[in-house]
Amino acid sequence: MAKNLEETVQRLRGSIAPIVTPFDEQGNIDEQVLVDLIEWHIASGSHGISVTGTTGEPSSLTLKERERVMEIAIRTARGRVPVVPGTGSTNHDETMHLTKLAQEMGADAAMVIVPYYNKPSQHALYKHFKTVADAVDIPIIIYNIPGRTAVNLEVKTLARLNEDCKNIVGVKESNKDFEHVNRVLLCCGREFLLFSGIELLCYPMLAIGGAGSVCATANVVPDKVAEMHNAWFEGDVERAQQLHYELMPLNDVLFKDTNPSPLKAALGMMGKITPKLRLPMDLPTEELQQEIRSVLERYVTLPEQVNK
């Protein structure tokens, strides 16, 4: 493994916040708000940022919009924290294009999702990811989210990819099968970067040797999520456990509707964004929004003008 690749991999730890794509009232990308969100995350202690992943609504963006969001994120971060854009899609050529572009723009790594809707075989998944990895030099973190893709990347397929591709260095597991997650590190090695994409499993994955998380809740309380990781890395197990349980009610309410719908409602209540999604996604029902507000008030002080 090349020295620069090794150095980059060492930085990919902790809370990599998957930032929402903010829209204005007209439904256009609000570039200044995106910049502000990134600056807020860096100031709040997030260890890295990711854009155009599930939380960033990539399926609601055009290819040019995805490119623009990636460009803004990399330019704004200026190397202060790693930037790991989501570059995958159902289309292989599009995935290749975005991943190569991420490298050209200066991204620290690329997060490539298991193609959704297509339901490829394990053999096809191997060919897809190997072709993408072979085309770039930056680290690749595979994103396994079977609840959205309808196919699970099996541990033996992931282990084969890790063995055959030096720059496939980790996986984001949005997988509730904790036996599967344990076997990832057993078969891929303890140095393989395991990130939790399930909020309630962020702490448990750290406990088995995980590298961190890509947690939607970090959009709302980036300081708390980062602190949980810091506590664990510093050996303060009691504090890490305390934060794990402290965050559970917020984790729960933010997933009572499809992500990032509740999350954007919460950020709107906080005055961070215009709470806007593009159809077919939409904001939660008024009843759920009231529940979100009630839980949110336990964690943050909502601006008066937003509370009215």
Side-chain angles (χ1 to χ4, degrees):
M1 185 181 289
K3 183 178 179 181
N4 61 340
L5 186 58
E6 286 182 344
E7 291 174 352
T8 300
V9 168
Q10 289 303 311
R11 295 183 71 208
L12 296 173
R13 297 288 192 281
S15 174
I16 298 180
I19 296 177
V20 300
T21 301
F23 301 127
D24 60 23
E25 290 288 359
Q26 289 70 45
N28 301 311
I29 294 174
D30 195 325
E31 295 187 0
Q32 184 56 54
V33 170
L34 178 58
V35 169
D36 293 343
L37 288 173
I38 292 169
E39 291 290 357
W40 178 53
H41 273 276
I42 293 173
S44 298
S46 291
H47 303 101
I49 60 170
S50 180
V51 292
T52 62
T54 301
T55 303
E57 298 172 83
S59 60
S60 295
L61 303 177
T62 67
L63 185 60
K64 289 297 182 184
E65 286 175 326
R66 290 185 69 172
E67 294 171 2
R68 180 61 177 158
V69 170
M70 287 164 48
E71 179 187 4
I72 291 169
I74 294 165
R75 183 192 69 209
T76 303
R78 300 192 308 279
R80 290 174 290 170
V81 297
V83 178
V84 186
T87 61
S89 78
T90 59
N91 184 290
H92 177 75
D93 288 344
E94 187 174 286
T95 301
M96 291 283 286
H97 167 74
L98 288 170
T99 307
K100 289 178 181 179
L101 187 61
Q103 175 170 283
E104 292 171 12
M105 288 179 173
D108 297 273
M111 190 171 296
V112 185
I113 195 170
V114 170
Y116 39 93
Y117 183 77
N118 296 331
K119 294 184 70 175
S121 68
Q122 295 299 307
H123 174 66
L125 285 172
Y126 173 85
K127 291 180 67 176
H128 170 69
F129 284 115
K130 186 175 190 305
T131 303
V132 173
D134 287 347
V136 296
D137 298 319
I138 59 173
I140 299 294
I141 298 171
I142 294 176
Y143 180 12
N144 189 31
I145 179 167
R148 291 222 189 207
T149 62
V151 62
N152 184 44
L153 182 67
E154 295 177 3
V155 172
K156 63 181 180 182
T157 307
L158 182 59
R160 184 183 172 200
L161 284 164
N162 178 46
E163 182 176 349
D164 294 347
C165 306
K166 66 176 183 178
N167 59 331
I168 292 183
V169 299
V171 63
K172 173 187 174 183
E173 283 285 357
S174 294
N175 196 328
K176 293 185 177 180
D177 184 348
F178 205 59
E179 287 188 20
H180 167 101
V181 171
N182 277 265
R183 294 187 187 282
V184 166
L185 291 183
L186 176 67
C187 296
C188 294
R190 297 283 296 280
E191 72 281 357
F192 195 66
L193 302 179
L194 172 65
F195 292 93
S196 176
I198 300 284
E199 278 61 23
L200 293 184
L201 295 183
C202 290
Y203 172 75
M205 283 200 199
L206 287 173
I208 64 169
S213 69
V214 187
C215 165
T217 305
N219 279 272
V220 175
V221 283
D223 53 343
K224 292 286 188 183
V225 177
E227 185 186 353
M228 183 183 72
H229 290 78
N230 290 337
W232 175 260
F233 295 143
E234 292 164 6
D236 190 346
V237 176
E238 184 177 350
R239 179 60 178 157
Q241 288 178 344
Q242 178 186 344
L243 286 161
H244 166 67
Y245 288 107
E246 181 180 324
L247 289 168
M248 282 181 67
L250 183 59
N251 292 334
D252 288 343
V253 79
L254 290 179
F255 284 84
K256 287 200 170 184
D257 196 353
T258 304
N259 182 46
S261 173
L263 181 55
K264 279 197 158 181
L267 287 169
M269 294 170 194
M270 294 168 64
K272 293 291 184 183
I273 66 169
T274 298
K276 182 83 174 178
L277 295 94
R278 289 177 176 173
L279 293 172
M281 298 293 287
D282 200 5
L283 290 171
T285 63
E286 286 296 328
E287 181 181 5
L288 179 52
Q289 289 195 49
Q290 288 303 316
E291 185 177 352
I292 292 168
R293 182 185 299 277
S294 177
V295 174
L296 192 58
E297 287 174 337
R298 305 182 207 170
Y299 297 86
V300 299
T301 301
L302 301 183
E304 290 184 12
Q305 65 271 24
V306 179
N307 262 321
K308 291 180 181 178

